[in-house]
Amino acid sequence: MKSPDPAASGNATSADDATLATTGGNATSHDAVSLATTSADVTGGDAASLAAASGGDAVSGDAASVGATSGGAATTGGAVDSAERAIAERNLCGLVGALAKQIEGHIRERAGALDLTAAQAVALRELTGPMTMRDLAERMSCEPSNATFVVDRLEEQGIVERRPHPGDRRAKQLVLTPEGAALRERLIDLLTEASPLARLTSEEQAALNDLLARVVR
């Protein structure tokens, strides 16, 4: 089922709000004028009727007009701003998602050239030095159990090995073997070549990194 356009729903809301505000304002002014005029007519005299009718009409009419204009405009403006923000966020989410898919496809293609899976390539890319399984899982944005499965395959291929942690007897460190270090260098070269992010200059990449870091941290 096709999702309703946030822009359409936002405009509908602002239009309804504006109509309601304007109608409400007009109704108030008419009621106030009618009440003032009727009251004056009943209370007494043509002079009193004229004064009450003209005075009531001027005051209630002006107040209602100001209220309908300012209140209606404020409501409409707020709804429009909200709708525009929703559209902007939707578009931004779409772009971020599209970029993530492009990067994922690029990694899978380059990993295949080295007989690696995409997950293995990501793990190898993130192994910038000795680290625990938990640290690697955090860098890979996955659960430690998933990272363990990937590392097990890399260890079987002689790319990674587990060593005792120098500062914690209960933990193990993941370390690249000489073959793993050479393979990682080849992988980094392949990932950097024709990367979707290579379309940006170094300055633009740094700016994008800063903006995304403000959102996800």
Side-chain angles (χ1 to χ4, degrees):
M1 183 180 293
K2 186 176 181 181
S3 300
D5 192 342
S9 62
N11 291 338
T13 302
S14 62
D16 292 343
D17 289 347
T19 301
L20 180 60
T22 306
T23 304
N26 290 341
T28 302
S29 63
H30 292 320
D31 292 344
V33 172
S34 300
L35 181 60
T37 305
T38 303
S39 176
D41 288 342
V42 172
T43 301
D46 293 339
S49 298
L50 180 60
S54 60
D57 189 19
V59 174
S60 62
D62 291 345
S65 298
V66 172
T69 301
S70 62
T75 302
T76 304
V80 170
D81 289 344
S82 178
E84 290 178 349
R85 183 175 181 84
I87 293 173
E89 289 192 3
R90 184 194 66 190
N91 291 339
L92 184 57
C93 288
L95 289 172
V96 172
L99 177 59
K101 287 183 178 179
Q102 287 187 17
I103 293 175
E104 182 181 356
H106 177 70
I107 292 175
R108 184 179 294 107
E109 177 187 355
R110 300 307 167 113
L114 298 176
D115 293 327
L116 297 171
T117 66
Q120 288 174 338
V122 171
L124 196 55
R125 181 192 65 189
E126 297 303 325
L127 276 169
T128 55
M131 64 184 66
T132 65
M133 189 72 71
R134 184 172 297 277
D135 291 335
L136 178 61
E138 184 176 346
R139 289 193 175 199
M140 294 177 64
S141 300
C142 69
E143 294 295 324
S145 58
N146 294 334
T148 299
F149 177 82
V150 173
V151 170
D152 286 344
R153 306 288 82 77
L154 292 176
E155 190 173 27
E156 290 173 0
Q157 295 173 311
I159 297 172
V160 175
E161 62 182 16
R162 291 175 169 90
R163 294 179 182 175
H165 194 289
D168 188 351
R169 294 180 180 179
R170 298 170 298 177
K172 296 286 187 180
Q173 272 192 333
L174 304 176
V175 180
L176 290 174
T177 63
E179 294 78 11
L183 181 62
R184 184 179 185 277
E185 287 186 9
R186 292 174 57 196
L187 174 66
I188 296 302
D189 289 340
L190 287 175
L191 291 179
T192 304
E193 181 183 354
S195 166
L197 293 174
R199 302 164 191 165
L200 302 177
T201 65
S202 299
E203 292 76 13
E204 289 172 335
Q205 288 187 19
L208 179 59
N209 181 81
D210 291 342
L211 290 173
L212 292 176
R214 288 172 55 186
V215 175
V216 300
R217 291 178 182 174

